[in-house]
Amino acid sequence: MKTVSLLSCLCFFFSVSCATNQKSRLATTAVGIGIGAAIGAGTAPNDERPELHALYWGGILGVVSAVAANYYFSDERDLEVMRLENEKLKAELDLFQNRPSTLLKEEIRSADKKYFHGGKARIKLYEIDQWVPDGPNKRYHRDRMMEILPLEKSE
């Protein structure tokens, strides 16, 4: 009886020390199998093999403890917290990447005659702050944007 008590206490402390839900589920299942095996071996009649009783009881208590651990150590709460945190980070990243632009200067200058018939265009220079993805592992920063608009004939 002392060995069963000692084994159950050790298994309890082992299951409490786990940090994640998956580890907690596995530890609880292992504790159930260990306690079931100890109970089965300790309560086996003298004329029967104690290792078979240990296997039977260990299997039964292992399954029961696995079902209880899956119910008790549910991932739904953690997944909801992670989903909310992910949405918050996406919103912050979107705000960071899509800041409004600031017009620095606007002028009318000569432009390439290939693209602009009159040879003059309205050029606007903006200050922006954007990080642009360039492949899976690269990002580059944009800080200026130039907009070149053709002049209308009336201008």
Side-chain angles (χ1 to χ4, degrees):
M1 190 64 180
K2 288 182 183 180
T3 56
V4 173
S5 301
L6 180 63
L7 183 62
S8 62
C9 286
L10 287 175
C11 291
F12 172 74
F13 290 127
F14 176 72
S15 68
V16 170
S17 68
C18 295
T20 63
N21 285 343
Q22 184 67 25
K23 285 183 181 178
S24 297
R25 283 188 218 127
L26 291 175
T28 304
T29 304
V31 167
I33 292 171
I35 291 174
I39 290 172
T43 60
N46 291 336
D47 58 340
E48 294 183 12
R49 296 174 54 186
E51 58 271 2
L52 289 178
H53 280 271
L55 287 174
Y56 294 145
W57 279 87
I60 291 169
L61 282 179
V63 168
V64 169
S65 64
V67 170
N70 279 334
Y71 177 74
Y72 182 72
F73 298 112
S74 176
D75 290 329
E76 291 176 15
R77 182 180 51 217
D78 292 340
L79 290 175
E80 182 64 23
V81 168
M82 283 187 250
R83 185 187 63 77
L84 291 173
E85 185 177 340
N86 191 16
E87 286 179 4
K88 177 186 166 203
L89 291 174
K90 280 183 182 178
E92 288 177 2
L93 183 63
D94 188 45
L95 178 68
F96 180 72
Q97 285 183 339
N98 299 322
R99 287 186 181 161
S101 58
T102 305
L103 180 64
L104 293 177
K105 70 179 178 177
E106 179 178 355
E107 60 186 15
I108 296 175
R109 315 194 317 208
S110 60
D112 193 355
K113 291 183 180 181
K114 248 191 305 191
Y115 302 110
F116 302 100
H117 297 291
K120 291 196 174 211
R122 180 180 308 275
I123 299 174
K124 296 179 179 180
L125 182 64
Y126 294 96
E127 181 179 19
I128 60 173
D129 187 16
Q130 289 181 339
W131 287 96
V132 181
D134 184 27
N137 298 326
K138 288 184 185 177
R139 302 228 184 289
Y140 63 91
H141 185 260
R142 291 183 188 168
D143 62 345
R144 305 283 170 135
M145 176 178 70
M146 186 182 295
E147 183 179 20
I148 304 172
L149 302 169
L151 289 176
E152 300 295 326
K153 293 197 187 243
S154 63
E155 293 181 47

